[in-house]
Amino acid sequence: MRNNTALKDEGMRILAEQLGIVEAERFIMLLRREPFDYTQWRQGIFKDVSLDKFLNDAQSYRNRMTTSSH
């Protein structure tokens, strides 16, 4: 598992790659400024993802992290 700094760096890099730096910064600003219920947001964002896909993706991620740390 990555430390918090590495996770934040990776998350920001991915956001910037996918959204562009301006939209990534705007996204972060929106999360910080507006009242935010993570549980409600999470339920909405993953509503179309099956449990099997979620678990398979989580296992793939774990395998990648285990492999890359060695």
Side-chain angles (χ1 to χ4, degrees), residues 36-63:
F36 184 67
D37 182 339
Y38 172 78
T39 302
Q40 185 177 19
W41 173 78
R42 182 185 46 78
Q43 288 170 346
I45 201 164
F46 295 123
K47 70 178 185 222
D48 295 327
V49 178
S50 71
L51 179 58
D52 286 339
K53 173 153 178 41
F54 188 86
L55 293 174
N56 286 336
D57 288 353
Q59 184 63 46
S60 294
Y61 174 81
R62 182 173 184 242
N63 291 343

Side-chain angles (χ1 to χ4, degrees), residues 60-70:
S60 294
Y61 174 81
R62 182 173 184 242
N63 291 343
R64 282 193 316 273
M65 291 300 101
T66 302
T67 302
S68 68
S69 67
H70 291 117

Side-chain angles (χ1 to χ4, degrees), residues 8 11 14:
K8 288 188 285 187
I14 291 168

Side-chain angles (χ1 to χ4, degrees), residues 1-19:
M1 182 181 288
R2 293 176 232 188
N3 66 38
N4 289 348
T5 300
L7 182 59
K8 288 188 285 187
D9 288 347
E10 177 82 5
M12 193 61 196
R13 183 187 62 75
I14 291 168
L15 283 173
E17 286 176 2
Q18 296 297 311
L19 300 175

